[in-house]
Amino acid sequence: MCYGIMVTASVSSIHRYSFFVAMGYLTICHISRIYIFHYGILTTDFSGPLMIVTQKITTLAFQVHDGLGRRAEDLSAEQHRLAVKVKPSFLQYLSYLLNFMSVIAGPCNNFKDYIAFIEGRHTHMKLLEVNWKQRGFQSLPEPSPTGAVIRKLYMTLVSLLLFLTLTKAFPVTCLVDDWFVHKANFLTRLCYLYIVMQASKPKYYFAWTLADAVNNAAGFGFSGVDKNGNFCWDLLSNLNIWKIETATSFKMYLENWNIQTATWLKRVCYERVPWYPTVLTFVLSALWHGVYPGYYFTFLTGTLVTVAARTMRNNYRHYFLSSKALKVAYDVVTWAVTQLAVSYTVAPFVMLAVEPTISLYKTFEWCGGMCRMCQRPCSLGCWVFASLAPFPATGAHTSAPEGRRWLLTELIFQNIPRYGCSLGSPRPFDHSDDTQKTTEEKEPAQKNQEDLP
């Protein structure tokens, strides 16, 4: 059906038709497999490969639209480089969608890169970007993927061992146990949440690294030469584990997690939509992942955390760059906050259903919903204090949760009128958004990429 659209539809609308048909079919499949067969159980079935195929169908449709339906001066540099100027044949189309290297676990790749690989031009094109004579070579070298494949297979083995040990020792069901919900104090729950979320990562590390290694073993994935002259095989890499575990901002974390999906979201949604790009990108990400309610809890919370993290970084980071000690202290604090914020945000993603998600968020007094108030130092300080302070069970409040809930309520009703805004408004004291478009709205292709999911 999508190839029929590719062949018959107008190039001015080919991307829209392909997008709605592919995403619509994927959504119907998600609904049928979840609510008819396996609600509450995340099974491995046809929906995984179909998600990858959906990415490829829409990616190709947008690139054909860029190549045939738009003027060159209207394209960004990246869109111009990836634009497809000739509609693919049926064989090319099927080969791109269903090749054995990426049909099971991906990752999504660009049509022009794939065709260059099939025609044997993939590595040659990347090598021509370097002046090898200045490096002492008389001819083009022959980069081998062997080292990269061995390294990635070693990482998949480590990830598998962690999955069989750490994940089994700290299952996500621990987050709804009676001890966690009713007996553990706030800081204990927060630390335990972080441990459980860390334990849920190895399966993703395993699948994505193995998929990358398979493509590299076939000779696909060469990205060029780094500044030290080393051959790089990370064109299709889906994650950077070191940067994920040491991320000091939400932006840095998202940029290195599920990289190819984030790139797909940027190219088909974030750079294209004229309004609310951040919100719509998170909505598309949730819809693509499926229709489990937990996905929507995660991406709704992720939208708020993204805005709060960006605002905090822009407003306060420069105060800590005057000395090395301050910078180290800032990095340590932001690392801890980032890791805990990510754990809080993605917990519903792995819990899937509504009931455990509500139970978990209740134990944290719905603190994540307050992150939008982090746009003012007074609100931030009060929110952190209200979230973490060990309230004594004395006075008018008979328990620590009640005291914390009282202070959060006071924070909401005292600060919102004072700052003249609601939780959903763009920025306290700043009404310029009503009269003047931001640079982000004027130039969609140049939007800040820090809020991609």
Side-chain angles (χ1 to χ4, degrees), residues 278-288 296 299 303 453:
T278 300
V279 175
L280 292 177
T281 301
F282 273 105
V283 169
L284 174 59
S285 182
L287 190 64
W288 176 79
Y296 296 86
F299 292 111
T303 303

Side-chain angles (χ1 to χ4, degrees), residues 152-166:
K152 291 172 183 179
L153 289 179
Y154 172 76
M155 184 56 64
T156 61
L157 179 60
V158 173
S159 300
L160 180 60
L161 293 176
L162 289 175
F163 174 74
L164 296 176
T165 55
L166 190 62

Side-chain angles (χ1 to χ4, degrees), residues 49-209:
L50 185 60
M51 291 164 69
I52 301 300
V53 170
T54 300
Q55 285 188 352
K56 291 183 177 182
I57 289 173
T58 52
T59 295
L60 178 55
F62 275 91
Q63 291 172 355
V64 169
H65 168 67
D66 290 340
L68 299 176
R70 298 177 67 190
R71 297 179 302 175
E73 55 267 26
D74 294 334
L75 303 176
S76 67
E78 184 183 47
Q79 289 171 347
H80 188 271
R81 178 177 65 85
L82 298 175
V84 177
K85 300 184 182 299
V86 178
K87 291 183 179 181
S89 66
F90 187 57
L91 179 60
Q92 289 176 323
Y93 192 79
L94 291 181
S95 176
Y96 172 63
L97 297 184
L98 304 176
N99 67 84
F100 74 93
M101 300 175 296
S102 60
V103 69
I104 300 297
C108 178
N109 50 74
N110 298 305
F111 181 76
K112 291 181 74 172
D113 289 335
Y114 177 74
I115 293 300
F117 162 70
I118 290 297
E119 295 177 353
R121 300 181 285 107
H122 173 57
T123 57
H124 186 74
M125 290 169 52
K126 301 292 183 182
L127 291 172
L128 288 177
E129 298 173 1
V130 179
N131 189 335
W132 291 101
K133 290 187 177 180
Q134 290 183 352
R135 296 174 180 262
F137 290 84
Q138 298 303 318
S139 61
L140 292 179
E142 292 291 335
S144 171
T146 303
V149 172
I150 292 175
R151 184 171 62 254
K152 291 172 183 179
L153 289 179
Y154 172 76
M155 184 56 64
T156 61
L157 179 60
V158 173
S159 300
L160 180 60
L161 293 176
L162 289 175
F163 174 74
L164 296 176
T165 55
L166 190 62
T167 306
K168 299 296 183 181
F170 298 98
V172 70
T173 53
C174 294
L175 300 180
V176 293
D177 286 349
D178 181 71
W179 170 83
F180 181 87
V181 175
H182 300 292
K183 298 179 182 179
N185 61 46
F186 184 83
L187 290 178
T188 301
R189 290 197 299 267
L190 201 60
C191 293
Y192 202 74
L193 173 65
Y194 171 72
I195 294 172
V196 172
M197 290 299 101
Q198 287 293 102
S200 68
K201 292 180 183 178
K203 63 180 179 182
Y204 299 103
Y205 292 170
F206 171 80
W208 290 338
T209 306

